[in-house]
Amino acid sequence: MIASTYLIGIGSNRWGRQGGPRAIVAGFLAHSDPHWGAVIAASDIMSSAPLGPGTRTYANAVAAIETTLGPLELLSHLKSIESAHGRRAGRRWGDRIIDLDIIGWSGGIFSSPALTVPHREFRKRRFVLGPLCEIAPGWRDPVTHLTARHLLTRLDRGRPRT
Protein backbone atom coordinates (compact mmCIF):
# COMPACT_ATOMS: atom_id res chain seq x y z
CA MET A 1 0.00 0.00 0.00
CA ILE A 2 1.24 3.51 -0.84
CA ALA A 3 1.93 5.91 2.04
CA SER A 4 0.26 9.31 2.24
CA THR A 5 1.34 12.38 4.15
CA TYR A 6 -1.20 14.05 6.42
CA LEU A 7 -1.06 17.37 8.24
CA ILE A 8 -2.45 17.01 11.75
CA GLY A 9 -3.45 19.89 14.01
CA ILE A 10 -2.83 19.13 17.68
CA GLY A 11 -4.26 21.06 20.60
CA SER A 12 -4.57 20.69 24.37
CA ASN A 13 -5.75 22.92 27.19
CA ARG A 14 -6.17 20.50 30.11
CA TRP A 15 -3.86 18.48 32.29
CA GLY A 16 -3.66 14.74 31.68
CA ARG A 17 -1.51 11.74 32.58
CA GLN A 18 1.44 13.21 30.65
CA GLY A 19 1.25 16.57 32.44
CA GLY A 20 0.11 19.96 31.20
CA PRO A 21 -1.06 20.94 27.72
CA ARG A 22 2.45 21.56 26.35
CA ALA A 23 3.62 18.15 27.59
CA ILE A 24 0.61 16.44 26.02
CA VAL A 25 1.21 18.08 22.64
CA ALA A 26 4.95 17.30 22.87
CA GLY A 27 4.10 13.68 23.69
CA PHE A 28 2.01 13.35 20.53
CA LEU A 29 4.74 15.00 18.43
CA ALA A 30 7.29 12.48 19.74
CA HIS A 31 4.90 9.57 19.08
CA SER A 32 5.44 6.95 16.43
CA ASP A 33 2.91 4.16 16.15
CA PRO A 34 3.49 1.10 13.96
CA HIS A 35 -0.27 1.00 13.27
CA TRP A 36 -0.43 4.35 11.53
CA GLY A 37 3.08 5.55 10.82
CA ALA A 38 5.37 8.21 12.14
CA VAL A 39 5.64 11.93 12.70
CA ILE A 40 8.01 13.13 9.95
CA ALA A 41 7.94 16.87 10.77
CA ALA A 42 6.66 18.88 13.71
CA SER A 43 6.23 22.57 14.41
CA ASP A 44 7.10 24.35 17.61
CA ILE A 45 4.34 24.43 20.22
CA MET A 46 2.53 27.76 20.50
CA SER A 47 -0.10 29.14 22.86
CA SER A 48 -3.49 30.41 21.73
CA ALA A 49 -6.73 31.68 23.22
CA PRO A 50 -9.65 29.23 23.26
CA LEU A 51 -12.49 29.34 20.74
CA GLY A 52 -16.08 29.11 21.93
CA PRO A 53 -16.86 28.21 25.55
CA GLY A 54 -13.38 26.94 26.45
CA THR A 55 -11.72 28.83 29.30
CA ARG A 56 -8.08 27.77 29.25
CA THR A 57 -5.20 28.73 26.97
CA TYR A 58 -4.35 26.07 24.39
CA ALA A 59 -1.02 24.57 23.42
CA ASN A 60 -1.07 24.00 19.64
CA ALA A 61 1.18 22.49 17.00
CA VAL A 62 1.01 20.91 13.56
CA ALA A 63 2.64 17.62 12.59
CA ALA A 64 3.19 15.94 9.26
CA ILE A 65 2.73 12.19 9.51
CA GLU A 66 3.24 9.45 6.97
CA THR A 67 0.89 6.49 6.94
CA THR A 68 -0.71 3.91 4.69
CA LEU A 69 -4.11 4.57 6.31
CA GLY A 70 -6.87 6.20 4.31
CA PRO A 71 -8.54 9.38 5.61
CA LEU A 72 -11.40 7.64 7.44
CA GLU A 73 -9.10 5.01 8.95
CA LEU A 74 -6.76 7.73 10.21
CA LEU A 75 -9.69 9.74 11.59
CA SER A 76 -10.85 6.65 13.49
CA HIS A 77 -7.36 6.15 14.92
CA LEU A 78 -7.06 9.83 15.96
CA LYS A 79 -10.49 9.68 17.62
CA SER A 80 -9.38 6.58 19.56
CA ILE A 81 -6.34 8.54 20.83
CA GLU A 82 -8.64 11.38 21.91
CA SER A 83 -10.96 8.89 23.66
CA ALA A 84 -8.03 7.25 25.44
CA HIS A 85 -7.23 10.71 26.85
CA GLY A 86 -10.77 11.20 28.13
CA ARG A 87 -12.43 13.09 25.29
CA ARG A 88 -16.12 12.38 24.85
CA ALA A 89 -18.09 12.86 21.64
CA GLY A 90 -20.59 15.68 21.37
CA ARG A 91 -18.82 18.52 23.17
CA ARG A 92 -17.62 21.06 20.64
CA TRP A 93 -14.94 23.63 21.52
CA GLY A 94 -14.84 22.76 25.20
CA ASP A 95 -11.73 22.24 27.29
CA ARG A 96 -9.96 19.01 26.36
CA ILE A 97 -6.83 17.03 27.05
CA ILE A 98 -6.13 16.49 23.37
CA ASP A 99 -7.74 17.55 20.10
CA LEU A 100 -6.48 16.01 16.84
CA ASP A 101 -7.67 17.29 13.46
CA ILE A 102 -6.72 16.26 9.95
CA ILE A 103 -5.84 19.57 8.29
CA GLY A 104 -4.71 18.29 4.88
CA TRP A 105 -3.26 15.32 3.06
CA SER A 106 -1.17 14.51 0.03
CA GLY A 107 -4.25 13.08 -1.72
CA GLY A 108 -5.85 16.52 -2.02
CA ILE A 109 -9.56 16.80 -1.26
CA PHE A 110 -11.67 14.24 0.61
CA SER A 111 -15.30 14.55 1.66
CA SER A 112 -17.65 12.26 3.54
CA PRO A 113 -20.34 12.79 6.18
CA ALA A 114 -17.71 12.18 8.89
CA LEU A 115 -14.72 14.08 7.48
CA THR A 116 -13.81 16.92 5.16
CA VAL A 117 -10.18 17.39 4.09
CA PRO A 118 -8.81 19.98 4.00
CA HIS A 119 -10.29 21.00 7.33
CA ARG A 120 -13.06 23.52 6.73
CA GLU A 121 -11.88 26.12 9.23
CA PHE A 122 -8.08 25.95 9.05
CA ARG A 123 -7.81 29.05 6.84
CA LYS A 124 -9.31 31.15 9.66
CA ARG A 125 -7.04 29.90 12.43
CA ARG A 126 -3.65 31.41 13.10
CA PHE A 127 -2.95 28.66 15.64
CA VAL A 128 -3.04 26.22 12.69
CA LEU A 129 -1.51 28.34 9.91
CA GLY A 130 1.42 29.61 12.00
CA PRO A 131 2.68 26.13 12.95
CA LEU A 132 1.82 24.80 9.47
CA CYS A 133 4.07 27.44 7.92
CA GLU A 134 6.96 26.26 10.11
CA ILE A 135 6.90 22.76 8.63
CA ALA A 136 5.32 23.23 5.18
CA PRO A 137 5.17 26.89 4.09
CA GLY A 138 4.84 25.89 0.43
CA TRP A 139 2.02 23.38 0.96
CA ARG A 140 -0.87 24.31 -1.33
CA ASP A 141 -4.45 24.28 -0.16
CA PRO A 142 -6.18 22.15 -2.83
CA VAL A 143 -9.32 24.32 -2.57
CA THR A 144 -7.87 27.84 -2.89
CA HIS A 145 -4.55 26.79 -4.52
CA LEU A 146 -2.78 29.22 -2.16
CA THR A 147 0.28 28.22 -0.17
CA ALA A 148 0.17 27.98 3.61
CA ARG A 149 2.43 31.04 3.77
CA HIS A 150 0.05 33.03 1.55
CA LEU A 151 -2.97 31.98 3.65
CA LEU A 152 -1.19 33.09 6.84
CA THR A 153 -0.24 36.43 5.29
CA ARG A 154 -3.86 37.00 4.25
CA LEU A 155 -5.10 36.13 7.72
CA ASP A 156 -2.57 38.40 9.42
CA ARG A 157 -3.48 41.30 7.12
CA GLY A 158 -7.18 40.82 7.78
CA ARG A 159 -8.05 40.06 4.18
CA PRO A 160 -11.20 38.12 3.45
CA ARG A 161 -10.65 34.39 3.73
CA THR A 162 -11.53 32.09 0.86
Side-chain angles (χ1 to χ4, degrees), residues 13-160:
N13 73 340
R14 286 187 52 205
W15 284 73
R17 292 185 302 269
Q18 292 176 291
R22 291 183 80 77
I24 290 166
V25 172
F28 181 85
L29 294 174
H31 186 72
S32 287
D33 181 332
H35 175 71
W36 59 268
V39 174
I40 58 174
S43 72
D44 290 333
I45 300 170
M46 66 174 287
S47 296
S48 68
L51 294 176
T55 59
R56 300 177 180 127
T57 300
Y58 269 83
N60 296 100
V62 171
I65 66 166
E66 194 166 80
T67 181
T68 58
L69 297 179
L72 291 175
E73 294 169 304
L74 179 60
L75 176 66
S76 177
H77 189 68
L78 295 176
K79 294 301 176 195
S80 72
I81 292 170
E82 290 178 344
S83 293
H85 283 84
R87 181 148 182 208
R88 300 294 168 250
R91 181 134 190 242
R92 189 171 183 191
W93 291 343
D95 294 332
R96 62 201 53 177
I97 294 173
I98 193 157
D99 183 33
L100 302 168
D101 291 318
I102 300 172
I103 304 303
W105 75 303
S106 56
I109 296 171
F110 179 85
S111 184
S112 78
L115 176 66
T116 299
V117 180
H119 191 283
R120 293 177 188 189
E121 299 294 319
F122 89 96
R123 296 169 201 89
K124 301 175 186 175
R125 297 179 175 169
R126 189 172 206 306
F127 62 85
V128 173
L129 288 173
L132 176 58
C133 282
E134 286 183 37
I135 64 169
W139 175 77
R140 285 200 181 270
D141 173 6
V143 174
T144 65
H145 305 288
L146 299 173
T147 65
R149 184 180 310 122
H150 192 155
L151 291 167
L152 178 60
T153 299
R154 277 184 156 196
L155 184 65
D156 285 347
R157 288 186 180 162
R159 290 187 180 162

